[in-house]
Amino acid sequence: KTKAEIWSGVGPLSATSEKSTSITTTTHRGTGHKNENVPYLEASYDPAAAEIFFKSRPLASAQRLAQLVTKSGGFIASTMLDKKLDREDDSHIVDKRSKELLELVTALGPTFIKVGQALSTRTDLLPARYASGLTKLQDAVPPFSAEVGRAMIED
């Protein structure tokens, strides 16, 4: 199947089948602008289409993974070192790590902010000393324009 067939939704993987795994060319709401950088239409999650979409973009997936590892690696290493050096209960260190976690979650983008918001109330899943910093995500998420939000999602 050619890329054109995949993007247009015709051919063996077309959307006519119930078990379709085609990648859809989507149109942005209200703009009429077509976007070939998303695996399915807004608000219509299709795991099979997402799998095909991301498998056809291994470099982009690897770049995002590298970004996640580099941004979160320092925080993870610091918390492991705190545990090894028995500094987990030092209030100065706890405050510092809580702020670092908030900055990390915010830097990783909207999906991680939503996860952080959920974790901020789940002290059964995340130690309260770290969850307390994430409570700032409940009502103090840094504002950004809709265009920036759309660009973050599309990239």
Side-chain angles (χ1 to χ4, degrees):
K1 184 165 182 169
T2 68
K3 256 188 174 177
E5 288 174 318
I6 292 171
W7 294 121
S8 66
V10 298
L13 295 178
S14 71
T16 57
S17 165
E18 273 186 23
K19 294 184 180 181
S20 167
T21 55
S22 69
I23 297 173
T24 310
T25 299
T26 63
T27 303
H28 287 290
R29 242 183 280 161
T31 65
H33 172 70
K34 290 190 176 187
N35 182 1
E36 295 179 349
N37 293 318
V38 295
Y40 39 79
L41 296 172
E42 275 186 42
S44 62
Y45 178 65
D46 181 349
E51 181 178 1
I52 289 172
F53 181 82
F54 290 109
K55 278 187 176 180
S56 70
R57 291 165 175 73
L59 184 58
S61 297
Q63 286 173 330
R64 178 60 175 160
L65 178 61
Q67 180 186 43
L68 294 173
V69 169
T70 56
K71 286 187 176 191
S72 61
F75 177 78
I76 293 169
S78 295
T79 56
M80 291 173 69
L81 186 61
D82 291 343
K83 185 171 183 93
K84 185 76 172 167
L85 297 175
D86 206 22
R87 308 187 295 199
E88 295 176 295
D89 296 324
D90 180 336
S91 63
H92 175 68
I93 296 291
V94 168
D95 289 344
K96 182 179 177 183
R97 297 293 175 250
S98 180
K99 288 175 187 168
E100 288 173 353
L101 180 58
L102 176 63
E103 290 170 7
L104 173 64
V105 167
T106 304
L108 290 176
T111 301
F112 288 89
I113 289 172
K114 288 307 275 180
V115 170
Q117 287 172 333
L119 287 175
S120 71
T121 62
R122 297 295 308 268
T123 56
D124 58 322
L125 298 176
L126 185 70
R129 60 185 181 262
Y130 296 122
S132 65
L134 295 179
T135 59
K136 293 182 176 119
L137 294 173
Q138 296 298 337
D139 58 7
V141 176
F144 53 86
S145 69
E147 291 81 25
V148 170
R150 177 82 55 199
M152 291 171 94
I153 292 168
E154 290 174 354
D155 289 341

